[in-house]
Amino acid sequence: MKRREFLKLSAMLGAGAATPALMTGCASPRLPGSGQVEASPIVCNVCFWRCAGTVYKEDGQPWKVEGNPEDLHSLGRFCTRGSGGLGMYRDPDRLRQPMLRVTENGQQTFKPVSWEEALDFIASRMSNIAETHGEDRLCLLSHGVGGTHFRRLLGAFGSTGFAQPSFAQCRGPRDVGFALTFGEGVGSPDRTDMENSRCIVLIGSHLGENLHNSQVQTWIKAVENRATVITVDPRFSVAAGKSRYWLPIRPGTDMALLLAWIHVLIHEGLYDQDYIARYATGLEQLAEHVLPFSPEWAFLETGISADVIRETAREMARHAPATLVHPGRHVTWYGDDTQRSRAIAILNALLGSWGREGGYFIPERVSLPSYPVPEAPEPRTDWMAEVQKDYPLAPAGITNVVIENSIGDDAFFKGWFVYGTNLPYSVPSSADQIQAAAQSLDLMVVVDTMPCAITGYADVVLPECTYLERLDPIRNSPERQPALAVSFPAFEPRYDSKPAWWIAKQIAERLDLGAYFPWEDYAEEVDWQLQQVGSSLEEMRQLGVKSFPRTTAKFFEPGEAVEFRTPSGRIELYSEMLASFGHDPLPKYAPPRRPPERYFHLSYGRAPAHTFGRTINNPTLFELMPENAVWVNPLVARDFALSSGDYVRLRNQDGVVSNRVRVRVTERIRPDSVFIVHGFGQKDPRLRLASQRGADDNHLMTRVLIDPIMGGTGMRGNFVTLVPEEQLA
Amino acid sequence: MKVYAMVIDTNLCIGCGDCVVACKTENKLPAGLNRDWVVEATRGRYPDLTTEFRSERCNHCTHATCVHACPTGATYTWQNSNIVLVEPSKCTGCKACIAACPYDARLIMTPDGYIDKCTFCHHRVEKGQDPACVSACPTHCMHFGLLSDAQSTVSRLLATRPHKALLEETGNEPQVYYLT
Amino acid sequence: MLEEVLVTVRDNPGIDPSLSVWHWEIPAYLFLGGLTAGILLFASLIVLLGREKDFPFVSRRLPIWAFVALSLGMLALFLDLSHKFYVWRFYTTFQVSSPMSWGSWILLLVYPVIILLTACTLREGYPALGRLVDRFRAGHAGINFACRHRVLVAQWGLILAVFLGFYTGILLSAFSARPFWNTGFLAPLFLVSGMSAAAALVLLGTRSEHERHMFTRIDIVLIAIKLSLIALLLVNLATGSRVQIEASQMVFGGEFAIPFWVFLVIPGLMIPLILEYWELKGTRRAWMLVSPVLVLYGSYMLRQLTVDMGQASSYISYVNAFDPALLELLR
Ligand SMILES: Nc1nc2c(c(=O)[nH]1)N[C@H]1C(S)=C(S)[C@@H](COP(=O)(O)OP(=O)(O)OC[C@H]3O[C@@H](n4cnc5c(=O)[nH]c(N)nc54)[C@H](O)[C@@H]3O)O[C@H]1N2
Ligand SMILES: Nc1nc2c(c(=O)[nH]1)N[C@H]1C(S)=C(S)[C@@H](COP(=O)(O)OP(=O)(O)OC[C@H]3O[C@@H](n4cnc5c(=O)[nH]c(N)nc54)[C@H](O)[C@@H]3O)O[C@H]1N2
Ligand code: SF4
Ligand code: SF4
Ligand code: SF4
Ligand code: SF4
Ligand code: SF4
Ligand SMILES: [Mo]
């Protein structure tokens, strides 16, 4: 019998019997990896840690992703999300073609259009903006590598407006606080030397749930080496579970604890006297300042017993300088964030851990020339001076301030490019403002891979292909060891999606700015750059990652004279700079607001299976964690007559109600707080998996505590109560 | 007989589920089916708590009740070892092995209907590699090797560290160990 | 306080949240298998005791029902398989440690015995069918052969009946992984229950007053034994390991309490016991057909609930932290 007839017959048989797939199991399935396997180097883009690894295909089908053993970001292993990265490519809900906002029968909708039409539209709107308002009125809101191309495009056009949520909603306060103290920020990847630490202090940092890859790996190495871990968190985080000390702090009172620790270190003479004498200024002022902040005082604020505060401070001192007081990463909490980061920086200075093994190393990157393109025109205005004048100490764009300055006829910004950031879910309670901005902007372009909320505000939506389908800019990150990594496309772009470089180049050409993208294929630029440092695209296709020798020391030499990039050239415990701008030169504590009766601190964080909202619709990762749950203490559950698995809604102090969310009753949280994982509660029905799954913390953050120094959005001043489902009906 | 074992350090496991993703992708499992999973066990009352994470899967029992229950020999042990596998072309889908496994570690393959389970990634072990979950785990808390070799990492870990296995009272002699 | 949750989602169909790999098919198979054993046992005994005259229904008409029951049972078993085309794999091997393998071979042995036992009853019991078979030369010879070896066949029948009846219980009780099944009382219980079901069948079919009377008495004894075995089984579990104690609790609370008492013990055991007792006393003849029907129902229900409760009982105590039903969106 010919094979085809046999198959037909068996299909008929199958149709008659109970299970149609009866015959498919005839041959044992082939073992994985026994087919034609192809490998290709990748830099993971599921979060911003950017681990280098390898994508495998088998028989032409996507198979798996693994870490590159030569890579310091991944240390040879990808995290949960990175391992599930192929889901970003597979996701059937991806944006498929460019779309233009049109009005049909008085109704606004999106119309699928050709790239040609979409790009022409953008170029003409840009020219209009230049004519009517000036060519400096565009802003790029971006989070992700592809943003570079649009930055070049807008720079060439005359606009330097640029903001990323990773500043004002994330690391801004810490980088400013550390820069004020040490003359430079922590940067990314964080320059923490955890694998050599003997003592690690985590203030909120929920490593293990926060899955920044090598960060977690080096931390767990320290745990394995029995380093003392001290975790300060209102929740029994995964990290708390691995810690010798868990300090279940009353939310918002970390500053009191930090001041008390400083108090103990100074007044018990436990700080690194040589280091401070050699490198720092302002000890006297600091010592006097912290005099009242005894552990006994801090106990009343934080709920942490004075004994524990003393004991932990001594423990830190015992292991110094191999004691790392972790700088945290997402630190926009209570509006006093730059100051809290200052306190953390000061604590590290007292322990002598900055520039020391087991504390903070000095990172180095490869000096990689940029591709020669014409110099961008001098922008007509200094947009920062114009728009961010209230925050002269902010070294970067403040997303929320940019949004505010895009609303209304006299607003500074007239056009946005939004690349890879889902603003309504990332900037607290910003949906209305973004709506208003969208109304008054002359152009809003959103470049995204998924139909996320932000695309709904756009005039033009451009589908980018995923990181698995494009060549990205060379990764050249400040690290222990300088190294380059290149991400090659493993697959052809699906649907009608295009890489950022192509999109930017196409727009540039329509505006006569083609000279800024003087190649046919971005690969030429990457190859040129690599050639300059003795490598090539071809070599990198083999290696994925290439290390270069260090040219500077990783740590301070004993007794070395160090020039810090602060005004005084020394570590500034006391900040004249802050004083001169009218801020407190030394960190002060102000008690946080307490939740009203039957309300709870709204706490939020990460889960290992997801990166914000960008992975919720990823079928592989959805499978691991399809929704979030609200953590409540059993005492609270009893009050509200709830048990695990029930659904509730959260209502905040201003009456904003969340989507329904599953309850998890657990001892792992303080009775005055509830916790949800950020990124859930998406509403767009085009996200067929993510839509309506769990609650979104962002919309509940109607009370935003602005950091007066750098303009960041403190998100932890919000309170919620629980509304059982039946009470809503 | 060669005894392969997995030794997982619960002090280092962070419950990230990377082992689960790695298994799904390596072994191309259909959506919604799992050969491994992660359990979080929290003991105590706030604020005196401990949390234990356990990455669980088939225990490749040396007294494998599933093997004993299988009427066709479809469930068998691989190459004179304790690695328990299922041969789809012998499997009737009678599900006796499922009922026989106290760990509920087996699954029904969709759409075909034969029984599937963790294979200890014997296709990788054969090539001298660790199972996919072990080699993906970002905390390096999973170890794999021969218990019948006293020099192996797993043997040494069990010799020097306090440990437990799951449901030892069933007499199944599970070969996935948890360092505690 | 212990909180044990799955932080990844587990929803393997049929396995999670608790086993539901076996639905009505296996209970039906166990019931029909038990009934077959009961029939075979009675039919063989009557032959061996030489009491054919006193028990006309059992000796002439009953055996064929074993054939019907067993065939339906095997059909149910087949329907249960999720990889059906490989059913023949049962018969390319014999796995000593596998009760199911034993079972499939026992069935294969039981079949010819039943056929032979039935063949000899055809001419008298089912004359039309007998004539039909007689028309074929092989059929004719077959019946003669069966009748000639009637006693030998009955001897085999008796042995296999006991095996088969026990086997239906052992099949489950051998699963040490399922605490509710893991007790020595299941095998005798299922054997007795199979006999009781066969007795009920006799009561439904017989026209002979004597036969009815005798089988009512037999059935009363069997039901009483069943009740005591159930009691012993529960005591056995309740005094066992942690998981067995938990398993025994299922009949006293939770989702199985009502089915167990209201749908099994009362209508399937107590009521027929009372009815049959009354019948023996000669008071309530009008209810004659009700009690055997209830006994058959009870026999089936016993298996159904045993299978369900066994699957619900387990060693596993963790639960999903997230709603596993959401995975449906992916399937
Ligand atoms: N899996 C995963 N990992 C990620 C990310 C992701 O999306 N997914 N995102 C990455 C990014 S961009 C960032 S910035 C980092 C963020 O990660 P981290 O910097 O570690 O985040 P935290 O702000 O520390 O927030 C989380 C913790 O703060 C605790 N917390 C709440 N209120 C208080 C308080 O008042 N005081 C103290 N001490 N603790 C409090 C919460 O209980 C929670 O455990 O994670 C990175 N890693
Ligand atoms: N309420 C609340 N707000 C927060 C936080 C919080 O914990 N709670 N965390 C804050 C922190 S720490 C940070 S760093 C920010 C992060 O904020 P965002 O970077 O805005 O984070 P996402 O929500 O993941 O948005 C990413 C967007 O990029 C798209 N995208 C993904 N891959 C690609 C790609 O390859 N190309 C393009 N063009 N687009 C892509 C996704 O589809 C999604 O729309 O959020 C901050 N905001
Ligand atoms: S940490 Fe994980 S998600 Fe982020 S880049 Fe690395 S592998 Fe990818
Ligand atoms: S991958 Fe490793 S750390 Fe993560 S859950 Fe699995 S065993 Fe634990
Ligand atoms: S865990 Fe279950 S499936 Fe695995 S060998 Fe043991 S009994 Fe068999
Ligand atoms: S389902 Fe398959 S593997 Fe399991 S016992 Fe039956 S035949 Fe054996
Ligand atoms: S050993 Fe292989 S099959 Fe088993 S859980 Fe790990 S990855 Fe999956
Ligand atoms: Mo962040």
Side-chain angles (χ1 to χ4, degrees), chain C residues 39-61:
Chain C
I39 295 172
L40 198 54
L41 190 109
F42 287 130
S44 305
L45 261 182
I46 298 297
V47 173
L48 293 177
L49 297 174
R51 300 281 297 271
E52 281 107 323
K53 295 268 141 42
D54 303 338
F55 297 95
F57 181 79
V58 176
S59 60
R60 294 192 200 148
R61 297 180 69 97

PDB file of all heavy atoms in Angstrom, chain C residues 39-61:
ATOM      1  N   ILE C  39     -21.302 -15.394  38.637  1.00  0.00           N
ATOM      2  CA  ILE C  39     -22.073 -16.328  37.808  1.00  0.00           C
ATOM      3  C   ILE C  39     -21.321 -17.643  37.646  1.00  0.00           C
ATOM      4  O   ILE C  39     -21.862 -18.736  37.828  1.00  0.00           O
ATOM      5  CB  ILE C  39     -22.349 -15.698  36.423  1.00  0.00           C
ATOM      6  CG1 ILE C  39     -23.262 -14.477  36.577  1.00  0.00           C
ATOM      7  CG2 ILE C  39     -22.951 -16.727  35.484  1.00  0.00           C
ATOM      8  CD1 ILE C  39     -23.439 -13.674  35.296  1.00  0.00           C
ATOM      9  N   LEU C  40     -20.043 -17.479  37.293  1.00  0.00           N
ATOM     10  CA  LEU C  40     -19.207 -18.646  37.047  1.00  0.00           C
ATOM     11  C   LEU C  40     -19.140 -19.511  38.301  1.00  0.00           C
ATOM     12  O   LEU C  40     -19.214 -20.750  38.234  1.00  0.00           O
ATOM     13  CB  LEU C  40     -17.807 -18.154  36.655  1.00  0.00           C
ATOM     14  CG  LEU C  40     -16.881 -19.125  35.949  1.00  0.00           C
ATOM     15  CD1 LEU C  40     -17.560 -19.695  34.711  1.00  0.00           C
ATOM     16  CD2 LEU C  40     -15.595 -18.405  35.547  1.00  0.00           C
ATOM     17  N   LEU C  41     -19.033 -18.841  39.406  1.00  0.00           N
ATOM     18  CA  LEU C  41     -18.925 -19.559  40.667  1.00  0.00           C
ATOM     19  C   LEU C  41     -20.191 -20.383  40.949  1.00  0.00           C
ATOM     20  O   LEU C  41     -20.133 -21.588  41.186  1.00  0.00           O
ATOM     21  CB  LEU C  41     -18.686 -18.562  41.802  1.00  0.00           C
ATOM     22  CG  LEU C  41     -18.323 -19.197  43.134  1.00  0.00           C
ATOM     23  CD1 LEU C  41     -16.847 -18.915  43.430  1.00  0.00           C
ATOM     24  CD2 LEU C  41     -19.168 -18.669  44.270  1.00  0.00           C
ATOM     25  N   PHE C  42     -21.339 -19.698  40.863  1.00  0.00           N
ATOM     26  CA  PHE C  42     -22.597 -20.412  41.124  1.00  0.00           C
ATOM     27  C   PHE C  42     -22.828 -21.518  40.106  1.00  0.00           C
ATOM     28  O   PHE C  42     -23.165 -22.650  40.452  1.00  0.00           O
ATOM     29  CB  PHE C  42     -23.778 -19.436  41.120  1.00  0.00           C
ATOM     30  CG  PHE C  42     -23.812 -18.553  42.343  1.00  0.00           C
ATOM     31  CD1 PHE C  42     -23.944 -17.181  42.218  1.00  0.00           C
ATOM     32  CD2 PHE C  42     -23.726 -19.098  43.621  1.00  0.00           C
ATOM     33  CE1 PHE C  42     -23.982 -16.362  43.340  1.00  0.00           C
ATOM     34  CE2 PHE C  42     -23.768 -18.292  44.749  1.00  0.00           C
ATOM     35  CZ  PHE C  42     -23.893 -16.917  44.609  1.00  0.00           C
ATOM     36  N   ALA C  43     -22.628 -21.181  38.836  1.00  0.00           N
ATOM     37  CA  ALA C  43     -22.912 -22.163  37.790  1.00  0.00           C
ATOM     38  C   ALA C  43     -22.018 -23.385  37.944  1.00  0.00           C
ATOM     39  O   ALA C  43     -22.471 -24.523  37.802  1.00  0.00           O
ATOM     40  CB  ALA C  43     -22.714 -21.502  36.419  1.00  0.00           C
ATOM     41  N   SER C  44     -20.759 -23.144  38.281  1.00  0.00           N
ATOM     42  CA  SER C  44     -19.842 -24.272  38.426  1.00  0.00           C
ATOM     43  C   SER C  44     -20.191 -25.102  39.658  1.00  0.00           C
ATOM     44  O   SER C  44     -20.182 -26.334  39.614  1.00  0.00           O
ATOM     45  CB  SER C  44     -18.396 -23.771  38.549  1.00  0.00           C
ATOM     46  OG  SER C  44     -18.087 -22.957  37.452  1.00  0.00           O
ATOM     47  N   LEU C  45     -20.483 -24.407  40.737  1.00  0.00           N
ATOM     48  CA  LEU C  45     -20.815 -25.111  41.980  1.00  0.00           C
ATOM     49  C   LEU C  45     -21.992 -26.045  41.799  1.00  0.00           C
ATOM     50  O   LEU C  45     -21.976 -27.208  42.213  1.00  0.00           O
ATOM     51  CB  LEU C  45     -21.149 -24.091  43.077  1.00  0.00           C
ATOM     52  CG  LEU C  45     -20.028 -23.762  44.068  1.00  0.00           C
ATOM     53  CD1 LEU C  45     -20.532 -22.773  45.108  1.00  0.00           C
ATOM     54  CD2 LEU C  45     -19.509 -25.031  44.733  1.00  0.00           C
ATOM     55  N   ILE C  46     -23.028 -25.512  41.147  1.00  0.00           N
ATOM     56  CA  ILE C  46     -24.241 -26.314  40.948  1.00  0.00           C
ATOM     57  C   ILE C  46     -23.901 -27.589  40.189  1.00  0.00           C
ATOM     58  O   ILE C  46     -24.357 -28.680  40.522  1.00  0.00           O
ATOM     59  CB  ILE C  46     -25.307 -25.503  40.172  1.00  0.00           C
ATOM     60  CG1 ILE C  46     -25.715 -24.272  40.985  1.00  0.00           C
ATOM     61  CG2 ILE C  46     -26.503 -26.361  39.804  1.00  0.00           C
ATOM     62  CD1 ILE C  46     -26.375 -24.569  42.303  1.00  0.00           C
ATOM     63  N   VAL C  47     -23.025 -27.418  39.160  1.00  0.00           N
ATOM     64  CA  VAL C  47     -22.630 -28.592  38.383  1.00  0.00           C
ATOM     65  C   VAL C  47     -21.871 -29.563  39.274  1.00  0.00           C
ATOM     66  O   VAL C  47     -22.150 -30.758  39.312  1.00  0.00           O
ATOM     67  CB  VAL C  47     -21.759 -28.173  37.178  1.00  0.00           C
ATOM     68  CG1 VAL C  47     -21.202 -29.413  36.479  1.00  0.00           C
ATOM     69  CG2 VAL C  47     -22.567 -27.324  36.215  1.00  0.00           C
ATOM     70  N   LEU C  48     -20.911 -29.020  40.004  1.00  0.00           N
ATOM     71  CA  LEU C  48     -20.058 -29.889  40.806  1.00  0.00           C
ATOM     72  C   LEU C  48     -20.837 -30.567  41.933  1.00  0.00           C
ATOM     73  O   LEU C  48     -20.545 -31.694  42.306  1.00  0.00           O
ATOM     74  CB  LEU C  48     -18.884 -29.090  41.381  1.00  0.00           C
ATOM     75  CG  LEU C  48     -17.892 -28.588  40.318  1.00  0.00           C
ATOM     76  CD1 LEU C  48     -16.794 -27.741  40.961  1.00  0.00           C
ATOM     77  CD2 LEU C  48     -17.275 -29.741  39.541  1.00  0.00           C
ATOM     78  N   LEU C  49     -21.825 -29.829  42.452  1.00  0.00           N
ATOM     79  CA  LEU C  49     -22.631 -30.443  43.514  1.00  0.00           C
ATOM     80  C   LEU C  49     -23.725 -31.349  42.950  1.00  0.00           C
ATOM     81  O   LEU C  49     -24.450 -31.992  43.694  1.00  0.00           O
ATOM     82  CB  LEU C  49     -23.286 -29.354  44.386  1.00  0.00           C
ATOM     83  CG  LEU C  49     -22.326 -28.440  45.163  1.00  0.00           C
ATOM     84  CD1 LEU C  49     -23.088 -27.326  45.861  1.00  0.00           C
ATOM     85  CD2 LEU C  49     -21.504 -29.250  46.161  1.00  0.00           C
ATOM     86  N   GLY C  50     -23.875 -31.328  41.635  1.00  0.00           N
ATOM     87  CA  GLY C  50     -24.897 -32.177  41.013  1.00  0.00           C
ATOM     88  C   GLY C  50     -26.307 -31.753  41.357  1.00  0.00           C
ATOM     89  O   GLY C  50     -27.208 -32.578  41.454  1.00  0.00           O
ATOM     90  N   ARG C  51     -26.531 -30.458  41.525  1.00  0.00           N
ATOM     91  CA  ARG C  51     -27.855 -30.000  41.936  1.00  0.00           C
ATOM     92  C   ARG C  51     -28.560 -29.276  40.801  1.00  0.00           C
ATOM     93  O   ARG C  51     -29.409 -28.414  41.044  1.00  0.00           O
ATOM     94  CB  ARG C  51     -27.723 -29.035  43.136  1.00  0.00           C
ATOM     95  CG  ARG C  51     -27.055 -29.636  44.377  1.00  0.00           C
ATOM     96  CD  ARG C  51     -28.023 -30.506  45.172  1.00  0.00           C
ATOM     97  NE  ARG C  51     -29.132 -29.702  45.681  1.00  0.00           N
ATOM     98  CZ  ARG C  51     -29.120 -29.069  46.856  1.00  0.00           C
ATOM     99  NH1 ARG C  51     -28.053 -29.128  47.629  1.00  0.00           N
ATOM    100  NH2 ARG C  51     -30.164 -28.369  47.247  1.00  0.00           N
ATOM    101  N   GLU C  52     -28.242 -29.635  39.532  1.00  0.00           N
ATOM    102  CA  GLU C  52     -28.829 -28.949  38.383  1.00  0.00           C
ATOM    103  C   GLU C  52     -30.342 -28.918  38.453  1.00  0.00           C
ATOM    104  O   GLU C  52     -30.971 -27.914  38.110  1.00  0.00           O
ATOM    105  CB  GLU C  52     -28.417 -29.623  37.072  1.00  0.00           C
ATOM    106  CG  GLU C  52     -27.022 -29.257  36.614  1.00  0.00           C
ATOM    107  CD  GLU C  52     -26.050 -30.394  36.804  1.00  0.00           C
ATOM    108  OE1 GLU C  52     -26.192 -31.108  37.817  1.00  0.00           O
ATOM    109  OE2 GLU C  52     -25.160 -30.557  35.948  1.00  0.00           O
ATOM    110  N   LYS C  53     -30.925 -30.037  38.888  1.00  0.00           N
ATOM    111  CA  LYS C  53     -32.391 -30.138  38.900  1.00  0.00           C
ATOM    112  C   LYS C  53     -33.006 -29.090  39.822  1.00  0.00           C
ATOM    113  O   LYS C  53     -34.027 -28.488  39.515  1.00  0.00           O
ATOM    114  CB  LYS C  53     -32.812 -31.536  39.384  1.00  0.00           C
ATOM    115  CG  LYS C  53     -32.386 -32.638  38.454  1.00  0.00           C
ATOM    116  CD  LYS C  53     -33.491 -32.942  37.445  1.00  0.00           C
ATOM    117  CE  LYS C  53     -32.957 -33.234  36.057  1.00  0.00           C
ATOM    118  NZ  LYS C  53     -31.764 -34.075  35.939  1.00  0.00           N
ATOM    119  N   ASP C  54     -32.354 -28.885  41.001  1.00  0.00           N
ATOM    120  CA  ASP C  54     -32.923 -27.967  41.986  1.00  0.00           C
ATOM    121  C   ASP C  54     -32.779 -26.509  41.583  1.00  0.00           C
ATOM    122  O   ASP C  54     -33.512 -25.642  42.068  1.00  0.00           O
ATOM    123  CB  ASP C  54     -32.250 -28.148  43.352  1.00  0.00           C
ATOM    124  CG  ASP C  54     -32.365 -29.573  43.833  1.00  0.00           C
ATOM    125  OD1 ASP C  54     -33.288 -30.252  43.350  1.00  0.00           O
ATOM    126  OD2 ASP C  54     -31.513 -30.001  44.643  1.00  0.00           O
ATOM    127  N   PHE C  55     -31.796 -26.251  40.729  1.00  0.00           N
ATOM    128  CA  PHE C  55     -31.550 -24.859  40.360  1.00  0.00           C
ATOM    129  C   PHE C  55     -31.609 -24.697  38.841  1.00  0.00           C
ATOM    130  O   PHE C  55     -30.589 -24.540  38.181  1.00  0.00           O
ATOM    131  CB  PHE C  55     -30.190 -24.399  40.901  1.00  0.00           C
ATOM    132  CG  PHE C  55     -30.135 -24.423  42.409  1.00  0.00           C
ATOM    133  CD1 PHE C  55     -29.623 -25.526  43.089  1.00  0.00           C
ATOM    134  CD2 PHE C  55     -30.615 -23.336  43.148  1.00  0.00           C
ATOM    135  CE1 PHE C  55     -29.578 -25.546  44.469  1.00  0.00           C
ATOM    136  CE2 PHE C  55     -30.569 -23.363  44.532  1.00  0.00           C
ATOM    137  CZ  PHE C  55     -30.054 -24.457  45.207  1.00  0.00           C
ATOM    138  N   PRO C  56     -32.801 -24.736  38.302  1.00  0.00           N
ATOM    139  CA  PRO C  56     -32.953 -24.759  36.841  1.00  0.00           C
ATOM    140  C   PRO C  56     -32.396 -23.498  36.172  1.00  0.00           C
ATOM    141  O   PRO C  56     -31.778 -23.576  35.121  1.00  0.00           O
ATOM    142  CB  PRO C  56     -34.464 -24.846  36.650  1.00  0.00           C
ATOM    143  CG  PRO C  56     -35.063 -24.398  37.940  1.00  0.00           C
ATOM    144  CD  PRO C  56     -34.082 -24.757  39.007  1.00  0.00           C
ATOM    145  N   PHE C  57     -32.606 -22.347  36.767  1.00  0.00           N
ATOM    146  CA  PHE C  57     -32.125 -21.129  36.111  1.00  0.00           C
ATOM    147  C   PHE C  57     -30.609 -21.071  36.098  1.00  0.00           C
ATOM    148  O   PHE C  57     -29.993 -20.814  35.073  1.00  0.00           O
ATOM    149  CB  PHE C  57     -32.697 -19.884  36.808  1.00  0.00           C
ATOM    150  CG  PHE C  57     -32.249 -18.609  36.163  1.00  0.00           C
ATOM    151  CD1 PHE C  57     -32.851 -18.161  34.992  1.00  0.00           C
ATOM    152  CD2 PHE C  57     -31.204 -17.855  36.700  1.00  0.00           C
ATOM    153  CE1 PHE C  57     -32.429 -16.996  34.374  1.00  0.00           C
ATOM    154  CE2 PHE C  57     -30.773 -16.690  36.084  1.00  0.00           C
ATOM    155  CZ  PHE C  57     -31.404 -16.255  34.918  1.00  0.00           C
ATOM    156  N   VAL C  58     -30.039 -21.358  37.245  1.00  0.00           N
ATOM    157  CA  VAL C  58     -28.580 -21.297  37.333  1.00  0.00           C
ATOM    158  C   VAL C  58     -27.945 -22.297  36.390  1.00  0.00           C
ATOM    159  O   VAL C  58     -26.979 -21.986  35.684  1.00  0.00           O
ATOM    160  CB  VAL C  58     -28.124 -21.567  38.778  1.00  0.00           C
ATOM    161  CG1 VAL C  58     -26.601 -21.596  38.856  1.00  0.00           C
ATOM    162  CG2 VAL C  58     -28.685 -20.521  39.721  1.00  0.00           C
ATOM    163  N   SER C  59     -28.491 -23.469  36.335  1.00  0.00           N
ATOM    164  CA  SER C  59     -27.831 -24.503  35.542  1.00  0.00           C
ATOM    165  C   SER C  59     -28.105 -24.354  34.048  1.00  0.00           C
ATOM    166  O   SER C  59     -27.288 -24.760  33.237  1.00  0.00           O
ATOM    167  CB  SER C  59     -28.248 -25.885  36.032  1.00  0.00           C
ATOM    168  OG  SER C  59     -29.642 -26.000  35.906  1.00  0.00           O
ATOM    169  N   ARG C  60     -29.213 -23.768  33.671  1.00  0.00           N
ATOM    170  CA  ARG C  60     -29.529 -23.734  32.244  1.00  0.00           C
ATOM    171  C   ARG C  60     -29.374 -22.361  31.598  1.00  0.00           C
ATOM    172  O   ARG C  60     -28.999 -22.249  30.453  1.00  0.00           O
ATOM    173  CB  ARG C  60     -30.976 -24.174  32.020  1.00  0.00           C
ATOM    174  CG  ARG C  60     -31.189 -25.609  32.368  1.00  0.00           C
ATOM    175  CD  ARG C  60     -32.521 -26.028  31.854  1.00  0.00           C
ATOM    176  NE  ARG C  60     -32.969 -27.212  32.547  1.00  0.00           N
ATOM    177  CZ  ARG C  60     -34.243 -27.461  32.781  1.00  0.00           C
ATOM    178  NH1 ARG C  60     -35.179 -26.607  32.392  1.00  0.00           N
ATOM    179  NH2 ARG C  60     -34.578 -28.562  33.398  1.00  0.00           N
ATOM    180  N   ARG C  61     -29.752 -21.340  32.352  1.00  0.00           N
ATOM    181  CA  ARG C  61     -29.836 -20.043  31.676  1.00  0.00           C
ATOM    182  C   ARG C  61     -28.772 -19.034  32.144  1.00  0.00           C
ATOM    183  O   ARG C  61     -28.486 -18.066  31.437  1.00  0.00           O
ATOM    184  CB  ARG C  61     -31.240 -19.446  31.870  1.00  0.00           C
ATOM    185  CG  ARG C  61     -32.309 -20.315  31.224  1.00  0.00           C
ATOM    186  CD  ARG C  61     -33.673 -19.711  31.424  1.00  0.00           C
ATOM    187  NE  ARG C  61     -33.857 -18.481  30.680  1.00  0.00           N
ATOM    188  CZ  ARG C  61     -34.455 -18.426  29.501  1.00  0.00           C
ATOM    189  NH1 ARG C  61     -34.897 -19.515  28.927  1.00  0.00           N
ATOM    190  NH2 ARG C  61     -34.584 -17.273  28.892  1.00  0.00           N
TER     191      ARG C  61
END
